[in-house]
């Protein structure tokens, strides 16, 4: 009995050490020539473009390029939704996606890719009708999952674009915005996480109000 109790304690201690050791890093690249990257979790701004590392899981976070027209929670702009977490069961690991569900809207091309695990796996949304973004809550096939521990994420705004060719959305609506890749990166789905992700997405959308006026960047 005592040996069994000690085994349980050892298992719990090992799990506790693993949780403490878990880390995830999010990096940004902005090739648009305007705007400021944002990484938001709930009411907190975690980053305004600097490298961010979480001590432990990073859950239900969002990222977008603040052009001056985006709400605090990304209303009116291209949005990346991310959860970076070490898997504790099959399908329970990290998941990232691009969302254009109204009142979100395409603002700039965006790309994300895992690294330090699931290297290169990600997605690119280059146009307002891209096939790699959520437009309704049931578009679960666009979720990109990763089951590696301590995976990191790179988010790129205006991928394959130089600052000299990017155009701020307020400048003109007729200029060519960016030379973008014609093919999206391989997309992996996480059907076992669909209900959880949809619940989190519905909770965020319920807190949003229609975007009416320009807000000052936070």
């Amino acid at each position: 009995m005592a040996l069994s109790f000690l085994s349980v304690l050892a298992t719990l201690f090992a799990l506790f050490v693993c949780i403490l050791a878990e880390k995830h890093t999010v990096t940004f690249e902005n090739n648009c020539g305007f705007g400021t990257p944002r990484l938001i979790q709930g009411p907190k701004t975690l980053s305004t473009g600097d490298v961010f590392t979480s001590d432990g899981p990073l859950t239900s976070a969002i990222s977008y390029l603040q052009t001056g027209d985006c709400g605090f929670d990304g209303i009116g702009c291209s949005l990346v939704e991310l959860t970076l977490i070490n898997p504790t069961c099959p399908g329970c690991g990290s998941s990232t996606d691009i969302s254009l569900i109204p009142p979100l809207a395409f603002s700039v091309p965006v790309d994300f890719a895992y690294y330090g695990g699931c290297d290169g796996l990600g997605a690119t949304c280059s146009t307002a009708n891209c096939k790699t973004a959520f437009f309704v809550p049931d578009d679960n096939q666009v979720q990109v999952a990763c089951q590696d521990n301590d995976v990191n994420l790179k988010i790129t705004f205006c991928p394959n674009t130089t600052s000299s060719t990017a155009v701020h959305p307020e400048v003109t609506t007729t200029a060519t915005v960016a030379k973008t890749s014609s093919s999206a990166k391989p997309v992996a789905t996480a059907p076992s996480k669909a209900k959880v992700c949809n619940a989190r997405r519905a909770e965020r959308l319920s807190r949003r109000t229609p975007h009416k006026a320009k807000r000052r960047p936070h």
Side-chain angles (χ1 to χ4, degrees):
M1 186 71 175
L3 181 60
S4 177
F5 179 72
L6 290 175
S7 298
V8 171
L9 285 180
T11 301
L12 291 176
F13 178 76
L15 180 61
F16 180 71
V17 170
C18 288
I19 292 175
L20 287 181
E22 182 176 352
K23 289 182 181 295
H24 304 279
T25 297
V26 181
T27 59
F28 303 92
E29 182 176 342
N30 179 16
N31 299 322
C32 297
F34 55 83
T36 303
R38 291 282 192 272
L39 180 64
I40 307 293
Q41 185 183 46
K44 298 180 181 179
T45 299
L46 303 180
S47 173
T48 55
D50 294 330
V51 175
F52 174 81
T53 298
S54 67
D55 293 320
L58 175 60
T59 60
S60 300
I62 60 173
S63 180
Y64 56 91
L65 185 69
Q66 179 57 270
T67 62
D69 299 318
C70 311
F72 177 76
D73 48 5
I75 289 177
C77 292
S78 306
L79 190 77
V80 176
E81 302 175 305
L82 59 138
T83 287
L84 303 179
I85 186 170
N86 290 351
T88 56
C89 66
C92 295
S94 301
S95 181
T96 308
D97 62 76
I98 299 168
S99 182
L100 298 176
I101 300 175
L104 302 173
F106 183 85
S107 54
V108 296
V110 63
D111 168 281
F112 69 84
Y114 293 112
Y115 69 96
C118 300
D119 288 2
L121 188 62
T124 301
C125 182
S126 302
T127 63
N129 60 350
C130 68
K131 304 298 185 181
T132 52
F134 274 93
F135 289 91
V136 295
D138 292 334
D139 286 335
N140 298 312
Q141 74 280 358
V142 303
Q143 296 178 43
V144 182
C146 178
Q147 301 303 312
D148 289 351
N149 287 339
D150 299 320
V151 70
N152 307 307
L153 191 72
K154 180 179 180 180
I155 299 173
T156 304
F157 300 103
C158 298
N160 301 323
T161 308
T162 62
S163 59
S164 61
T165 60
V167 178
H168 191 288
E170 290 185 351
V171 174
T172 178
T173 58
T174 59
T176 300
V177 174
K179 181 176 67 177
T180 56
S181 173
S182 60
S183 59
K185 295 179 180 177
V187 174
T189 63
S192 62
K193 301 188 66 176
K195 291 183 180 179
V196 175
C197 292
N198 283 344
R200 291 171 177 167
R201 185 173 295 105
E203 181 182 355
R204 283 195 295 271
L205 289 173
S206 68
R207 297 197 300 266
R208 292 173 179 155
T209 55
H211 181 56
K212 295 181 179 180
K214 182 185 294 185
R215 304 184 184 186
R216 295 177 60 189
H218 292 265

